[in-house]
Amino acid sequence: MPRLTSIALITVLAVLMVFTVHPVSADSKKILAAIDEAGASCRGVSQKIWDFKEPGQQELKSAELLKEELAKLGYKVTGDLKVPEDLVKDGISKTGFKAEMAGKGAGPTVYLMLEYDALANGHSCGHNLIATSGLLAATGLAKVMKETPGRVVVIGTPDEERGSMGGGKVALLEGGHFDGADVVFITHPNDRWSLDQRFLAMKRATFTFKGKSSHAAASPHKGVNALRGVLLTFNCVDSLREHLRQDVRIHGIVTKGGAVVNVVPELAQAEFACRALDTATMENAYAKIVNCAKAAELGTGATLEFKEPRVALKATITDPALLETVQANLKTLGIAGNQLKNFDELASSDLGMVSYNYPTVNLWFKIAPEGTALHSDAMREAANTDDAWKSTLIAGKAVALSAYDMLTNPAKLKAVQDGFKEAKAKEGK
Ligand SMILES: [Zn+2]
C-alpha cells in the first residue's frame, strides 16, 4: 500500500474512533438515564436481600434474585461455579455466580463485584447495597455495550464476612473466575464517602499444646501443663509488641484451657490473628508469633502442634490512577473531593486478595451519620432507608461511568495498569 494512502487511512480511522468509540457524553447520559429508570425496581431488590438476611454460604435466595435480574438485562448468567473443594466445602459454588455481557468487538474486561451476605444481626454491613449498586452499574452499562468495546463481567462474591475461611473471593480467585479481568470495581456503604483503599493483610494461627494430666495438688510434678504453653505464648507475644510497627495488630483468644481445676491441663489451645498495612510486614510479625509458640513449647515441655493456614489475606493495593477516574466521576455526580474522607479504623477483607491480583477500587458511600459503626444495629437500619438509596444510586452511577471510561479510554486503562504494577512493587517499602 502506498505510504500516502496508509496515512490517509490512519487519519480516517482516527477520526472515526473519536466519533464512534468515544461518544462519551452521549453514552454517559444513556448510562445515567438507565440507572435512574431502574432505581425503583433495584430498590425493591435491595429491600428483598435486606429481608432475606442470609449469612455466608447460605445466600441462595439473594443470589437467585440477582441472577434473575441480570438475566433480564441480557447478561449471560452462570451459576454452579467450580471452586477448590478444600477451601470451601459448601455454599460458594451455589451462591457465587458470574454474569457476562460482551460488547462490540475486542476490548478490556471490567469486573463488577457484588456481595450479599449478612451477619447474625442482619445486613449490618449493608451488603444488600453493595449488591444493588453493582446491579445498577450493570444496568447502566448494559444500555451501551452494543456500541462499546470489551466485556462486562458481574461476579457474585458471597461469604465475605467469614474471613477465617478466606472468604468467597479467595475461592473464586483460585477457581479462575477472575481470569482476564483488567479492572475490578466494588462499593461499600459506610458512615462517609471515601476512596480510602486500605485493608489490613491478615493471617490466623491456631496453636495446640499437648501436655500430660495428673492431680494438680497430689502429683503436679508428674504432669506437663499445656495451659502454660498457651500463657507463655501470650506473654512472649506481648513482649514483642514493643518492637512492632504501629499498624501491626495481634489479637488472641484461649479456645481450650483445661477442664477442671484439680487436673493439670493436658490440652490447651489458642487462636491468634496477625494483621498489618502491608503483606510483608504482616508475614514478618507472624513469623515472630510462631517463634513465641515454639519458645513456649521449649520452656514448658508441652508439645506444640501448629500448621500454617491454607489461606492468608493480602493487604489491598491502592491504584492512584483508578482513584482519579472514580473521583472525577463522583465530582460530576455531585460528590466533591472535599467530601471524601479517610478513616483510621481498619480491618481486613477478602477484597485484598482481588486487589493484589488486579487493579481494584472500592468506593465507600455514605448511608449513615459519621461515627456509625459497621456491623452495628444502627448501620443495619440505615442500610434500608431512602437516604441510603440515594447514595447507592450515586455509587452505582460512579462505578458505571468509571467502568465505561476503562472500556473506552485505552490511555486511562494503561495508566491504571501501570500504576497498579508500580504500587505493587512498592508495597511495604
Ligand atoms: Zn462489609
Side-chain angles (χ1 to χ4, degrees):
M1 193 181 289
R3 198 155 168 266
L4 253 182
T5 321
S6 6
I7 291 172
L9 191 62
I10 288 166
T11 313
V12 170
L13 278 177
V15 171
L16 275 177
M17 273 179 76
V18 168
F19 289 102
T20 57
V21 183
H22 303 294
V24 176
S25 59
D27 273 357
S28 297
K29 277 185 198 153
K30 266 193 211 169
I31 290 172
L32 298 178
I35 291 177
D36 281 328
E37 206 177 300
S41 94
C42 285
R43 169 83 165 103
V45 172
S46 168
Q47 172 77 54
K48 280 185 189 160
I49 296 175
W50 191 85
D51 285 332
F52 293 154
K53 52 184 176 193
E54 296 167 296
Q57 300 197 21
Q58 294 169 41
E59 314 102 312
L60 289 164
K61 285 188 275 185
S62 307
E64 274 315 308
L65 178 59
L66 290 164
K67 283 195 276 186
E68 273 169 31
E69 293 298 319
L70 288 159
K72 275 192 230 164
L73 292 168
Y75 282 82
K76 192 176 138 263
V77 178
T78 320
D80 289 324
L81 300 180
K82 259 206 163 67
V83 294
E85 284 277 318
D86 67 320
L87 250 187
V88 186
K89 292 193 173 55
D90 47 45
I92 299 281
S93 55
K94 297 273 172 252
T95 58
F97 64 84
K98 271 170 99 173
E100 303 186 35
M101 185 177 284
K104 188 184 174 190
T109 298
V110 297
Y111 265 62
L112 310 176
M113 281 197 289
L114 274 49
E115 292 177 4
Y116 32 87
D117 56 326
L119 288 136
N121 63 343
H123 271 292
S124 55
C125 207
H127 291 189
N128 57 310
L129 299 179
I130 300 180
T132 43
S133 64
L135 181 60
L136 287 167
T139 305
L141 289 166
K143 214 50 177 192
V144 297
M145 282 314 286
K146 269 198 186 112
E147 299 303 323
T148 305
R151 198 165 63 116
V152 179
V153 179
V154 183
I155 184 160
T157 61
D159 198 26
E160 189 273 338
E161 297 289 359
R162 300 198 312 174
S164 59
M165 296 178 76
K169 294 181 194 67
V170 176
L172 292 170
L173 272 165
E174 287 202 19
H177 300 293
F178 282 86
D179 290 3
D182 286 296
V183 190
V184 183
F185 292 91
I186 190 167
T187 68
H188 203 299
N190 206 341
D191 67 340
R192 67 196 76 187
W193 287 94
S194 176
L195 280 171
D196 194 332
Q197 299 298 300
R198 294 172 299 165
F199 275 109
L200 304 173
M202 179 181 74
K203 196 169 178 180
R204 297 201 178 178
T206 301
F207 299 122
T208 306
F209 287 91
K210 288 189 171 163
K212 196 171 153 210
S213 65
S214 69
H215 197 290
S219 52
H221 54 286
K222 292 180 180 163
V224 175
N225 192 332
L227 179 61
R228 292 281 164 204
V230 164
L231 295 176
L232 210 52
T233 304
F234 270 87
N235 285 333
C236 185
V237 166
D238 284 337
S239 54
L240 256 185
R241 295 185 195 276
E242 188 182 349
H243 304 288
L244 297 173
R245 210 171 63 186
Q246 275 191 13
D247 57 291
V248 177
R249 293 279 186 274
I250 302 173
H251 38 108
I253 56 168
V254 178
T255 45
K256 285 174 190 155
V260 284
V261 75
N262 57 354
V263 176
V264 171
E266 66 172 340
L267 180 75
Q269 195 175 63
E271 197 181 324
F272 286 85
C274 177
R275 314 187 197 219
L277 265 175
D278 65 83
T279 308
T281 302
M282 180 278 285
E283 290 287 0
N284 185 279
Y286 189 89
K288 289 175 178 166
I289 298 172
V290 174
N291 278 341
C292 286
K294 286 180 184 165
E297 175 184 40
L298 193 65
T300 59
T303 309
L304 169 67
E305 280 178 10
F306 163 72
K307 212 172 86 194
E308 285 263 339
R310 166 77 163 78
V311 170
L313 298 182
K314 307 250 192 216
T316 33
I317 305 282
T318 299
D319 188 325
L322 192 47
L323 298 192
E324 222 171 83
T325 297
V326 178
Q327 194 170 334
N329 285 312
L330 275 176
K331 199 175 163 196
T332 66
L333 297 164
I335 307 297
N338 60 9
Q339 279 175 266
L340 301 175
K341 295 173 184 172
N342 279 357
F343 41 82
D344 292 315
E345 294 172 7
L346 303 174
S348 311
S349 169
D350 59 1
L351 180 56
M353 297 302 273
V354 179
S355 131
Y356 192 80
N357 289 283
Y358 305 98
T360 302
V361 62
N362 173 39
L363 166 61
W364 295 100
F365 60 100
K366 181 176 169 67
I367 65 158
E370 207 163 311
T372 311
L374 289 169
H375 295 192
S376 68
D377 289 354
M379 191 59 87
R380 177 194 62 214
E381 294 309 308
N384 195 30
T385 59
D386 288 338
D387 272 353
W389 188 249
K390 281 180 203 149
S391 293
T392 310
L393 279 169
I394 297 174
K397 287 175 180 176
V399 166
L401 294 179
S402 305
Y404 181 77
D405 282 343
M406 293 300 125
L407 289 168
T408 56
N409 191 329
K412 272 191 190 171
L413 179 64
K414 186 169 185 312
V416 164
Q417 289 176 330
D418 290 349
F420 174 69
K421 278 182 213 142
E422 210 175 294
K424 200 167 157 177
K426 268 199 266 172
E427 202 214 358
K429 286 173 191 149

